[in-house]
Amino acid sequence: MSAPAAPASVGLPPGWRLLDFDSIDSTNDEARRQAEVGAPEGTVVRAVRQTAGRGRSGRSWSSTDGNLHCSVLLRPGMPAAVAAQASLVTGVAVTAALTELAPSLAFGCKWPNDVLCGGRKLCGVLLEAGGADGANPEWVVVGIGVNVATAPDLPDLIHPATSLQAEGADVSVDTVLEAVCRHLHSGLTAWRTGGMRRLREAWQARAAGIGQMATVRLPNGAVTGRLVGLDRDGAMVLAQPDGTVQRILAGDVFFASAPRMGAVSSKDG
Ligand code: BTN
């Protein structure tokens, strides 16, 4: 599979490079292949369409022309538990990029790594890591799918979805890719210097549904409570009606009512 040269219209951060495909199995798979042959951090794989696009928890990701499918290769050089925070960095970066491109729309991060627009899913992030030592991964691939032109209309879709076009924002895929990469680059730098404390503030300032009731579907059941915010390590904190507080490490969040977007101070969390 050979990648054509990056189109001149896509400007990437210094040191980053684009591998641009018409069709590929999954940009995450290609980014992993690139990682395994020594490609550097900042290698971006983008495809017009994917034949085997993947979502979280083994779900498939519908990949149609006109949407953004890309994966960014990182070499974080940190323990896996810390490197996992890159998904929060990505949620903040995508939210900031889309807010810049469509300032009249309300975007928000939904834990752990979705971006919503007006309560509907607009973007999903799939983080994968690997290398010789699982506890200290050699590479992390951040896969990003943004519904630019169309939203999937699948019977098994567990979250209602939307697209930039459906929300009235006429933005090109290249423009979204460029803005996402720029914000991701600056967000990664801020996270590496400021750590989880700074990331927590940035994420909570852009979060969806903080303070609202939600049900979190866990691998082994479900729990309902008020979303409090992020813990010091990036776990979601949920306050249950009986007063107990639960740290959620993995799960799917469902809101009882339309989530409000953004603006929670870290002092509240
Ligand atoms: C999710 O919400 O379940 C995550 C979806 C991630 C989709 C993107 S599209 C680009 C990259 N390649 C994939 O196969 N998946 C991610």
Side-chain angles (χ1 to χ4, degrees):
M1 226 169 323
S2 66
S9 59
V10 179
L12 291 181
W16 287 31
R17 67 177 181 139
L18 180 61
L19 303 177
D20 217 1
F21 294 83
D22 275 339
S23 178
I24 204 160
D25 46 2
S26 153
T27 57
N28 266 36
D29 288 342
E30 178 58 22
R32 174 182 47 77
R33 291 188 284 267
Q34 292 290 329
E36 287 168 350
V37 294
E41 168 152 325
T43 300
V44 181
V45 178
R46 186 263 293 266
V48 174
R49 65 196 74 89
Q50 302 181 110
T51 54
R54 286 181 281 111
R56 290 173 54 229
S57 309
R59 294 187 281 263
S60 66
W61 183 259
S62 155
S63 307
T64 50
D65 291 26
N67 288 346
L68 175 63
H69 320 105
C70 69
S71 300
V72 181
L73 171 60
L74 306 179
R75 294 199 180 270
M78 49 181 73
V82 183
Q85 295 167 4
S87 67
L88 299 171
V89 178
T90 307
V92 172
V94 173
T95 305
L98 297 178
T99 302
E100 178 186 294
L101 298 175
S104 62
L105 298 178
F107 299 100
C109 302
K110 181 164 93 68
W111 191 89
N113 44 15
D114 288 346
V115 174
L116 306 183
C117 178
R120 292 172 168 262
K121 180 162 171 168
L122 189 90
C123 164
V125 174
L126 178 65
L127 206 78
E128 294 177 322
D133 174 4
N136 294 284
E138 282 167 18
W139 53 263
V140 169
V141 167
V142 180
I144 305 167
V146 181
N147 297 334
V148 177
T150 53
D153 183 19
L154 303 173
D156 66 342
L157 195 73
I158 60 168
H159 300 109
T162 190
S163 68
L164 286 174
Q165 206 159 300
E167 300 294 332
D170 186 17
V171 194
S172 76
V173 176
D174 282 2
T175 307
V176 176
L177 174 63
E178 200 171 292
V180 165
C181 288
R182 179 162 35 82
H183 282 276
L184 185 56
H185 180 259
S186 59
L188 288 165
T189 304
W191 171 54
R192 280 171 169 141
T193 54
M196 187 60 215
R197 186 189 176 93
R198 193 159 156 190
L199 173 57
R200 180 172 177 256
E201 280 173 15
W203 192 89
Q204 290 192 160
R206 295 191 181 277
I210 299 287
Q212 292 183 246
M213 293 300 289
T215 295
V216 185
R217 204 182 283 170
L218 306 167
N220 55 351
V223 55
T224 296
R226 187 173 58 85
L227 287 186
V228 175
L230 293 184
D231 207 345
R232 288 181 204 290
D233 58 4
M236 173 54 79
V237 179
L238 196 74
Q240 291 178 271
D242 66 0
T244 55
V245 168
Q246 189 158 348
R247 290 174 75 243
I248 310 287
L249 299 170
D252 279 313
V253 176
F254 297 85
F255 294 105
S257 56
R260 288 185 297 273
M261 303 288 152
V264 175
S265 154
S266 63
K267 294 183 205 79
D268 301 334

